[in-house]
Amino acid sequence: MEPLISMGVLALIGAAATIAGASEDLESDVGSQSNANSQIQLAPQMGYIHRYYNKAIAGEPVSNGMMCTIGATGTLVLIKHFGMSPLFALVIGALIAAMVHGSYSVTAIMGREASQKRFKQPIYLDLIRSHTPVIMAFAFLTTFTVEIVSYLMVYALAHPFPFVLLSFLWGVVVGSVGSATGDVHLGSERQFQQTEFGSGLNASNSGNIVRKGESGLRNGIDNLWFCSKFGGPMTGVAFGMVVFLGIWILIVFDPARGLKEGWLSNILGFLIVVVLGIWNWHIEKEAREKFGPYKEDKTEEVSA
Amino acid sequence: MIELITANLIWILAIVIGGTLISQSVHFIPVGGAPAAMSQATGIGTGTVMLAAGAGIAGIIAAGTVMAVNQNLPLVIAAGAVGSMVMLAATMIVATWIYVYGVGVIPVSAKVKYDPITKYRQDLYVSQGTEGHGIPTVCFVSATIGAALGGLGGALVYYALMKVSTLPVTDLNLSAVVSTFTIGFFFINSVIPSYNIGGTIEGFHDPKFKKWPKAALASFIASIFCAIVAVVAVGSLGGGL
């Protein structure tokens, strides 16, 4: 394909991936899936009854991988068997995945909260009614955008993998990225806002999550409001970068044009990694200078 | 079936090496698990298998793209390594933004007093009651080495299995079966080192890293059996058996 057209397609893919990353993280924030869920699960055991949606269907990568596979399979059946237009098929496929995800979410919270009866944690039915549609909406967005990424890669950029498999793979990657980035904002900051900013989570505070909100008792949708201001968009940037940079290096230097181009694409990718590494080091240095140490250096005092 | 195995012994060896490389890569990746997501431990805030598989899959997608148009072995495995490295580097830089700007903690290691690369003092910057937090430079470097090894191993498995079959490399069924097997190799060889790691590891400077030979041996043995099954399954596609 013409490099310019490929770049246009890649721009679309990057935009879709950014939305996918953001919605994936926000979906896990509403339902408190993934690592941050360990505190939601622990809280009642420590005597802190809460009003958070407690779903951990599986680890985020596996759960998202499954969702995207269901969506892509539905889409492919509609296109190949019923001759439907891809755009409609993508929407309906994502809708099927969202419905499946919604039913898993409900069984997850029912099962998890019921198992905590001995800690006096109630099952709030109004919470399930208000949160499940939000979770499904974000699941729909994630599936739809991951499907768009995969569809464009297969049918516009001629990627050799089948559409459903590629959707599964990107589903696992978006879950992996979301779990490693956006969830930190929920787990470290939002759930422990009563502790001093920047103090990390003292192990003795485990399970002592914030349960009172800006108005009334805090729930998953309040967490969504908070995390949509930083954690969610940042996850979008992360997944957008993963997809965009990964494909961009192979479009700028297309390995189909020869061995030299192929090696240049690898060198370009390596350079990107080096630049990101230097950036990481700079942020570390800046943080050390601005925040300062937590403890005093006792060895220096003794020697003085 | 026996002929299929004897004819592909070289590729079986390549798959076993690939599997062992994946197992080694996991020891390099600073996996913090749930405690890291709570700023309670150093590393990337997700589980061993998920992170290694996530990075490896990005590598397989890149290796698959290159393999379809250029079957040069060093190029394909290098593309896999670079794909994984880009994925993990992008994830780590964004995680650092969140740790520093969103949570307000300093990237610091609790396993060493001085960072072996930057020589920065570490212990004073660990907040009370935690085992470090964020991704300091030494962890970033360790993670990129790990991602490179994992991507290399994954791409090697992918390349070997593609070469086992007589079908063309652009065949959809072949690439689907081969990538599924490759992902299987990732999961198997990420689970085996998890017993060494026990939830969290910071990278090559962590004392747990020294346990790697045990995982390497276990992965080597597991990969032999898996490689035989994979070679028979993939070689039989398109009437190869």
PDB file of all heavy atoms in Angstrom, chain A residues 14-46:
ATOM      1  N   GLY A  14      -4.550   4.603  15.566  1.00  0.00           N
ATOM      2  CA  GLY A  14      -4.033   5.217  16.794  1.00  0.00           C
ATOM      3  C   GLY A  14      -5.139   5.883  17.601  1.00  0.00           C
ATOM      4  O   GLY A  14      -5.201   5.729  18.828  1.00  0.00           O
ATOM      5  N   ALA A  15      -6.041   6.591  16.893  1.00  0.00           N
ATOM      6  CA  ALA A  15      -7.150   7.264  17.588  1.00  0.00           C
ATOM      7  C   ALA A  15      -8.055   6.228  18.252  1.00  0.00           C
ATOM      8  O   ALA A  15      -8.439   6.375  19.419  1.00  0.00           O
ATOM      9  CB  ALA A  15      -7.932   8.110  16.596  1.00  0.00           C
ATOM     10  N   ALA A  16      -8.384   5.167  17.514  1.00  0.00           N
ATOM     11  CA  ALA A  16      -9.260   4.122  18.063  1.00  0.00           C
ATOM     12  C   ALA A  16      -8.594   3.448  19.266  1.00  0.00           C
ATOM     13  O   ALA A  16      -9.249   3.180  20.286  1.00  0.00           O
ATOM     14  CB  ALA A  16      -9.575   3.082  16.986  1.00  0.00           C
ATOM     15  N   ALA A  17      -7.277   3.216  19.164  1.00  0.00           N
ATOM     16  CA  ALA A  17      -6.559   2.554  20.263  1.00  0.00           C
ATOM     17  C   ALA A  17      -6.553   3.435  21.507  1.00  0.00           C
ATOM     18  O   ALA A  17      -6.671   2.938  22.633  1.00  0.00           O
ATOM     19  CB  ALA A  17      -5.123   2.239  19.842  1.00  0.00           C
ATOM     20  N   THR A  18      -6.428   4.762  21.306  1.00  0.00           N
ATOM     21  CA  THR A  18      -6.419   5.672  22.457  1.00  0.00           C
ATOM     22  C   THR A  18      -7.752   5.605  23.200  1.00  0.00           C
ATOM     23  O   THR A  18      -7.803   5.549  24.433  1.00  0.00           O
ATOM     24  CB  THR A  18      -6.129   7.114  21.989  1.00  0.00           C
ATOM     25  OG1 THR A  18      -4.934   7.070  21.202  1.00  0.00           O
ATOM     26  CG2 THR A  18      -5.945   8.062  23.136  1.00  0.00           C
ATOM     27  N   ILE A  19      -8.854   5.593  22.421  1.00  0.00           N
ATOM     28  CA  ILE A  19     -10.180   5.491  23.057  1.00  0.00           C
ATOM     29  C   ILE A  19     -10.308   4.131  23.757  1.00  0.00           C
ATOM     30  O   ILE A  19     -10.832   4.032  24.870  1.00  0.00           O
ATOM     31  CB  ILE A  19     -11.293   5.675  22.003  1.00  0.00           C
ATOM     32  CG1 ILE A  19     -11.186   7.060  21.361  1.00  0.00           C
ATOM     33  CG2 ILE A  19     -12.667   5.508  22.645  1.00  0.00           C
ATOM     34  CD1 ILE A  19     -12.029   7.220  20.124  1.00  0.00           C
ATOM     35  N   ALA A  20      -9.797   3.082  23.103  1.00  0.00           N
ATOM     36  CA  ALA A  20      -9.885   1.732  23.679  1.00  0.00           C
ATOM     37  C   ALA A  20      -9.189   1.685  25.036  1.00  0.00           C
ATOM     38  O   ALA A  20      -9.741   1.159  26.006  1.00  0.00           O
ATOM     39  CB  ALA A  20      -9.261   0.705  22.736  1.00  0.00           C
ATOM     40  N   GLY A  21      -7.982   2.257  25.104  1.00  0.00           N
ATOM     41  CA  GLY A  21      -7.230   2.249  26.360  1.00  0.00           C
ATOM     42  C   GLY A  21      -7.980   2.986  27.462  1.00  0.00           C
ATOM     43  O   GLY A  21      -8.114   2.485  28.585  1.00  0.00           O
ATOM     44  N   ALA A  22      -8.497   4.197  27.117  1.00  0.00           N
ATOM     45  CA  ALA A  22      -9.185   5.000  28.128  1.00  0.00           C
ATOM     46  C   ALA A  22     -10.442   4.282  28.629  1.00  0.00           C
ATOM     47  O   ALA A  22     -10.683   4.188  29.834  1.00  0.00           O
ATOM     48  CB  ALA A  22      -9.539   6.359  27.547  1.00  0.00           C
ATOM     49  N   SER A  23     -11.242   3.751  27.692  1.00  0.00           N
ATOM     50  CA  SER A  23     -12.494   3.114  28.119  1.00  0.00           C
ATOM     51  C   SER A  23     -12.224   1.821  28.883  1.00  0.00           C
ATOM     52  O   SER A  23     -12.954   1.479  29.804  1.00  0.00           O
ATOM     53  CB  SER A  23     -13.406   2.861  26.924  1.00  0.00           C
ATOM     54  OG  SER A  23     -12.807   1.955  26.042  1.00  0.00           O
ATOM     55  N   GLU A  24     -11.162   1.129  28.519  1.00  0.00           N
ATOM     56  CA  GLU A  24     -10.818  -0.106  29.231  1.00  0.00           C
ATOM     57  C   GLU A  24     -10.510   0.191  30.696  1.00  0.00           C
ATOM     58  O   GLU A  24     -10.987  -0.504  31.594  1.00  0.00           O
ATOM     59  CB  GLU A  24      -9.603  -0.755  28.553  1.00  0.00           C
ATOM     60  CG  GLU A  24      -9.299  -2.160  29.016  1.00  0.00           C
ATOM     61  CD  GLU A  24      -8.543  -2.207  30.320  1.00  0.00           C
ATOM     62  OE1 GLU A  24      -7.846  -1.231  30.665  1.00  0.00           O
ATOM     63  OE2 GLU A  24      -8.675  -3.217  31.020  1.00  0.00           O
ATOM     64  N   ASP A  25      -9.730   1.263  30.906  1.00  0.00           N
ATOM     65  CA  ASP A  25      -9.376   1.586  32.288  1.00  0.00           C
ATOM     66  C   ASP A  25     -10.601   2.041  33.069  1.00  0.00           C
ATOM     67  O   ASP A  25     -10.804   1.638  34.210  1.00  0.00           O
ATOM     68  CB  ASP A  25      -8.302   2.679  32.316  1.00  0.00           C
ATOM     69  CG  ASP A  25      -7.957   3.049  33.742  1.00  0.00           C
ATOM     70  OD1 ASP A  25      -7.606   2.127  34.491  1.00  0.00           O
ATOM     71  OD2 ASP A  25      -8.076   4.220  34.116  1.00  0.00           O
ATOM     72  N   LEU A  26     -11.447   2.874  32.438  1.00  0.00           N
ATOM     73  CA  LEU A  26     -12.613   3.394  33.158  1.00  0.00           C
ATOM     74  C   LEU A  26     -13.608   2.280  33.468  1.00  0.00           C
ATOM     75  O   LEU A  26     -14.244   2.278  34.522  1.00  0.00           O
ATOM     76  CB  LEU A  26     -13.266   4.517  32.336  1.00  0.00           C
ATOM     77  CG  LEU A  26     -12.347   5.725  32.135  1.00  0.00           C
ATOM     78  CD1 LEU A  26     -12.991   6.764  31.251  1.00  0.00           C
ATOM     79  CD2 LEU A  26     -11.968   6.346  33.471  1.00  0.00           C
ATOM     80  N   GLU A  27     -13.687   1.311  32.573  1.00  0.00           N
ATOM     81  CA  GLU A  27     -14.568   0.156  32.823  1.00  0.00           C
ATOM     82  C   GLU A  27     -14.091  -0.595  34.061  1.00  0.00           C
ATOM     83  O   GLU A  27     -14.901  -0.992  34.913  1.00  0.00           O
ATOM     84  CB  GLU A  27     -14.548  -0.746  31.579  1.00  0.00           C
ATOM     85  CG  GLU A  27     -15.516  -1.910  31.624  1.00  0.00           C
ATOM     86  CD  GLU A  27     -14.849  -3.196  32.041  1.00  0.00           C
ATOM     87  OE1 GLU A  27     -13.663  -3.412  31.730  1.00  0.00           O
ATOM     88  OE2 GLU A  27     -15.513  -3.992  32.718  1.00  0.00           O
ATOM     89  N   SER A  28     -12.772  -0.750  34.181  1.00  0.00           N
ATOM     90  CA  SER A  28     -12.258  -1.476  35.347  1.00  0.00           C
ATOM     91  C   SER A  28     -12.352  -0.620  36.614  1.00  0.00           C
ATOM     92  O   SER A  28     -12.421  -1.155  37.712  1.00  0.00           O
ATOM     93  CB  SER A  28     -10.821  -1.941  35.103  1.00  0.00           C
ATOM     94  OG  SER A  28      -9.937  -0.868  35.192  1.00  0.00           O
ATOM     95  N   ASP A  29     -12.397   0.723  36.458  1.00  0.00           N
ATOM     96  CA  ASP A  29     -12.548   1.588  37.634  1.00  0.00           C
ATOM     97  C   ASP A  29     -13.959   1.511  38.208  1.00  0.00           C
ATOM     98  O   ASP A  29     -14.144   1.476  39.423  1.00  0.00           O
ATOM     99  CB  ASP A  29     -12.225   3.052  37.274  1.00  0.00           C
ATOM    100  CG  ASP A  29     -10.749   3.242  36.966  1.00  0.00           C
ATOM    101  OD1 ASP A  29      -9.957   2.372  37.385  1.00  0.00           O
ATOM    102  OD2 ASP A  29     -10.402   4.223  36.301  1.00  0.00           O
ATOM    103  N   VAL A  30     -14.959   1.516  37.331  1.00  0.00           N
ATOM    104  CA  VAL A  30     -16.355   1.445  37.804  1.00  0.00           C
ATOM    105  C   VAL A  30     -16.579   0.122  38.535  1.00  0.00           C
ATOM    106  O   VAL A  30     -17.153   0.072  39.619  1.00  0.00           O
ATOM    107  CB  VAL A  30     -17.360   1.539  36.625  1.00  0.00           C
ATOM    108  CG1 VAL A  30     -18.788   1.533  37.147  1.00  0.00           C
ATOM    109  CG2 VAL A  30     -17.119   2.756  35.802  1.00  0.00           C
ATOM    110  N   GLY A  31     -16.123  -0.955  37.928  1.00  0.00           N
ATOM    111  CA  GLY A  31     -16.376  -2.273  38.501  1.00  0.00           C
ATOM    112  C   GLY A  31     -15.284  -2.734  39.440  1.00  0.00           C
ATOM    113  O   GLY A  31     -15.384  -3.807  40.014  1.00  0.00           O
ATOM    114  N   SER A  32     -14.250  -1.903  39.625  1.00  0.00           N
ATOM    115  CA  SER A  32     -13.059  -2.239  40.424  1.00  0.00           C
ATOM    116  C   SER A  32     -12.534  -3.624  40.098  1.00  0.00           C
ATOM    117  O   SER A  32     -12.443  -4.498  40.949  1.00  0.00           O
ATOM    118  CB  SER A  32     -13.316  -2.099  41.921  1.00  0.00           C
ATOM    119  OG  SER A  32     -14.122  -3.105  42.398  1.00  0.00           O
ATOM    120  N   GLN A  33     -12.211  -3.813  38.832  1.00  0.00           N
ATOM    121  CA  GLN A  33     -11.574  -5.064  38.425  1.00  0.00           C
ATOM    122  C   GLN A  33     -10.065  -4.924  38.635  1.00  0.00           C
ATOM    123  O   GLN A  33      -9.585  -3.862  39.033  1.00  0.00           O
ATOM    124  CB  GLN A  33     -11.878  -5.347  36.951  1.00  0.00           C
ATOM    125  CG  GLN A  33     -11.583  -6.786  36.569  1.00  0.00           C
ATOM    126  CD  GLN A  33     -12.224  -7.188  35.274  1.00  0.00           C
ATOM    127  OE1 GLN A  33     -13.060  -6.473  34.764  1.00  0.00           O
ATOM    128  NE2 GLN A  33     -11.855  -8.331  34.754  1.00  0.00           N
ATOM    129  N   SER A  34      -9.350  -5.977  38.407  1.00  0.00           N
ATOM    130  CA  SER A  34      -7.891  -5.964  38.426  1.00  0.00           C
ATOM    131  C   SER A  34      -7.289  -5.759  39.813  1.00  0.00           C
ATOM    132  O   SER A  34      -7.941  -6.020  40.804  1.00  0.00           O
ATOM    133  CB  SER A  34      -7.367  -4.923  37.447  1.00  0.00           C
ATOM    134  OG  SER A  34      -6.008  -5.133  37.229  1.00  0.00           O
ATOM    135  N   ASN A  35      -6.038  -5.253  39.847  1.00  0.00           N
ATOM    136  CA  ASN A  35      -5.275  -5.219  41.098  1.00  0.00           C
ATOM    137  C   ASN A  35      -5.941  -4.411  42.205  1.00  0.00           C
ATOM    138  O   ASN A  35      -5.892  -4.800  43.365  1.00  0.00           O
ATOM    139  CB  ASN A  35      -3.891  -4.642  40.826  1.00  0.00           C
ATOM    140  CG  ASN A  35      -3.149  -5.458  39.804  1.00  0.00           C
ATOM    141  OD1 ASN A  35      -3.047  -6.664  39.941  1.00  0.00           O
ATOM    142  ND2 ASN A  35      -2.665  -4.817  38.759  1.00  0.00           N
ATOM    143  N   ALA A  36      -6.546  -3.281  41.827  1.00  0.00           N
ATOM    144  CA  ALA A  36      -7.179  -2.433  42.834  1.00  0.00           C
ATOM    145  C   ALA A  36      -8.323  -3.177  43.520  1.00  0.00           C
ATOM    146  O   ALA A  36      -8.734  -2.825  44.628  1.00  0.00           O
ATOM    147  CB  ALA A  36      -7.685  -1.160  42.177  1.00  0.00           C
ATOM    148  N   ASN A  37      -8.833  -4.213  42.877  1.00  0.00           N
ATOM    149  CA  ASN A  37      -9.934  -4.986  43.444  1.00  0.00           C
ATOM    150  C   ASN A  37      -9.521  -5.692  44.728  1.00  0.00           C
ATOM    151  O   ASN A  37     -10.358  -5.961  45.595  1.00  0.00           O
ATOM    152  CB  ASN A  37     -10.434  -6.003  42.413  1.00  0.00           C
ATOM    153  CG  ASN A  37     -11.535  -6.876  42.962  1.00  0.00           C
ATOM    154  OD1 ASN A  37     -11.263  -7.910  43.553  1.00  0.00           O
ATOM    155  ND2 ASN A  37     -12.757  -6.432  42.798  1.00  0.00           N
ATOM    156  N   SER A  38      -8.209  -5.972  44.873  1.00  0.00           N
ATOM    157  CA  SER A  38      -7.778  -6.706  46.068  1.00  0.00           C
ATOM    158  C   SER A  38      -8.157  -5.937  47.337  1.00  0.00           C
ATOM    159  O   SER A  38      -8.507  -6.538  48.348  1.00  0.00           O
ATOM    160  CB  SER A  38      -6.271  -6.955  46.013  1.00  0.00           C
ATOM    161  OG  SER A  38      -5.584  -5.741  45.955  1.00  0.00           O
ATOM    162  N   GLN A  39      -8.127  -4.591  47.269  1.00  0.00           N
ATOM    163  CA  GLN A  39      -8.485  -3.787  48.440  1.00  0.00           C
ATOM    164  C   GLN A  39      -9.991  -3.790  48.677  1.00  0.00           C
ATOM    165  O   GLN A  39     -10.449  -3.788  49.810  1.00  0.00           O
ATOM    166  CB  GLN A  39      -7.981  -2.352  48.252  1.00  0.00           C
ATOM    167  CG  GLN A  39      -6.485  -2.244  48.127  1.00  0.00           C
ATOM    168  CD  GLN A  39      -5.754  -2.700  49.382  1.00  0.00           C
ATOM    169  OE1 GLN A  39      -6.115  -2.342  50.494  1.00  0.00           O
ATOM    170  NE2 GLN A  39      -4.730  -3.528  49.219  1.00  0.00           N
ATOM    171  N   ILE A  40     -10.761  -3.761  47.576  1.00  0.00           N
ATOM    172  CA  ILE A  40     -12.228  -3.791  47.683  1.00  0.00           C
ATOM    173  C   ILE A  40     -12.651  -5.129  48.313  1.00  0.00           C
ATOM    174  O   ILE A  40     -13.562  -5.185  49.127  1.00  0.00           O
ATOM    175  CB  ILE A  40     -12.867  -3.664  46.276  1.00  0.00           C
ATOM    176  CG1 ILE A  40     -12.367  -2.400  45.580  1.00  0.00           C
ATOM    177  CG2 ILE A  40     -14.383  -3.760  46.331  1.00  0.00           C
ATOM    178  CD1 ILE A  40     -13.063  -1.151  45.895  1.00  0.00           C
ATOM    179  N   GLN A  41     -11.949  -6.172  47.931  1.00  0.00           N
ATOM    180  CA  GLN A  41     -12.250  -7.509  48.430  1.00  0.00           C
ATOM    181  C   GLN A  41     -11.821  -7.624  49.902  1.00  0.00           C
ATOM    182  O   GLN A  41     -12.473  -8.283  50.697  1.00  0.00           O
ATOM    183  CB  GLN A  41     -11.506  -8.536  47.561  1.00  0.00           C
ATOM    184  CG  GLN A  41     -11.755  -9.977  47.895  1.00  0.00           C
ATOM    185  CD  GLN A  41     -13.130 -10.452  47.454  1.00  0.00           C
ATOM    186  OE1 GLN A  41     -13.852  -9.726  46.783  1.00  0.00           O
ATOM    187  NE2 GLN A  41     -13.485 -11.642  47.844  1.00  0.00           N
ATOM    188  N   LEU A  42     -10.713  -6.954  50.231  1.00  0.00           N
ATOM    189  CA  LEU A  42     -10.145  -7.068  51.577  1.00  0.00           C
ATOM    190  C   LEU A  42     -10.923  -6.238  52.606  1.00  0.00           C
ATOM    191  O   LEU A  42     -11.044  -6.648  53.767  1.00  0.00           O
ATOM    192  CB  LEU A  42      -8.673  -6.610  51.545  1.00  0.00           C
ATOM    193  CG  LEU A  42      -7.876  -6.668  52.832  1.00  0.00           C
ATOM    194  CD1 LEU A  42      -7.656  -8.117  53.257  1.00  0.00           C
ATOM    195  CD2 LEU A  42      -6.528  -5.990  52.645  1.00  0.00           C
ATOM    196  N   ALA A  43     -11.456  -5.075  52.142  1.00  0.00           N
ATOM    197  CA  ALA A  43     -12.062  -4.112  53.076  1.00  0.00           C
ATOM    198  C   ALA A  43     -13.094  -4.733  54.039  1.00  0.00           C
ATOM    199  O   ALA A  43     -12.954  -4.568  55.261  1.00  0.00           O
ATOM    200  CB  ALA A  43     -12.657  -2.955  52.300  1.00  0.00           C
ATOM    201  N   PRO A  44     -14.104  -5.474  53.554  1.00  0.00           N
ATOM    202  CA  PRO A  44     -15.086  -6.039  54.499  1.00  0.00           C
ATOM    203  C   PRO A  44     -14.433  -6.984  55.513  1.00  0.00           C
ATOM    204  O   PRO A  44     -14.866  -7.053  56.658  1.00  0.00           O
ATOM    205  CB  PRO A  44     -16.056  -6.803  53.594  1.00  0.00           C
ATOM    206  CG  PRO A  44     -15.868  -6.244  52.246  1.00  0.00           C
ATOM    207  CD  PRO A  44     -14.440  -5.819  52.177  1.00  0.00           C
ATOM    208  N   GLN A  45     -13.383  -7.675  55.089  1.00  0.00           N
ATOM    209  CA  GLN A  45     -12.707  -8.614  56.004  1.00  0.00           C
ATOM    210  C   GLN A  45     -12.021  -7.876  57.142  1.00  0.00           C
ATOM    211  O   GLN A  45     -11.768  -8.437  58.202  1.00  0.00           O
ATOM    212  CB  GLN A  45     -11.684  -9.456  55.232  1.00  0.00           C
ATOM    213  CG  GLN A  45     -12.339 -10.310  54.163  1.00  0.00           C
ATOM    214  CD  GLN A  45     -11.336 -11.018  53.275  1.00  0.00           C
ATOM    215  OE1 GLN A  45     -10.224 -11.305  53.678  1.00  0.00           O
ATOM    216  NE2 GLN A  45     -11.751 -11.306  52.049  1.00  0.00           N
ATOM    217  N   MET A  46     -11.671  -6.587  56.893  1.00  0.00           N
ATOM    218  CA  MET A  46     -11.043  -5.772  57.942  1.00  0.00           C
ATOM    219  C   MET A  46     -12.108  -4.963  58.699  1.00  0.00           C
ATOM    220  O   MET A  46     -11.770  -4.095  59.501  1.00  0.00           O
ATOM    221  CB  MET A  46     -10.025  -4.794  57.323  1.00  0.00           C
ATOM    222  CG  MET A  46      -9.027  -5.415  56.382  1.00  0.00           C
ATOM    223  SD  MET A  46      -7.887  -6.493  57.192  1.00  0.00           S
ATOM    224  CE  MET A  46      -6.758  -5.314  57.897  1.00  0.00           C
TER     225      MET A  46
END
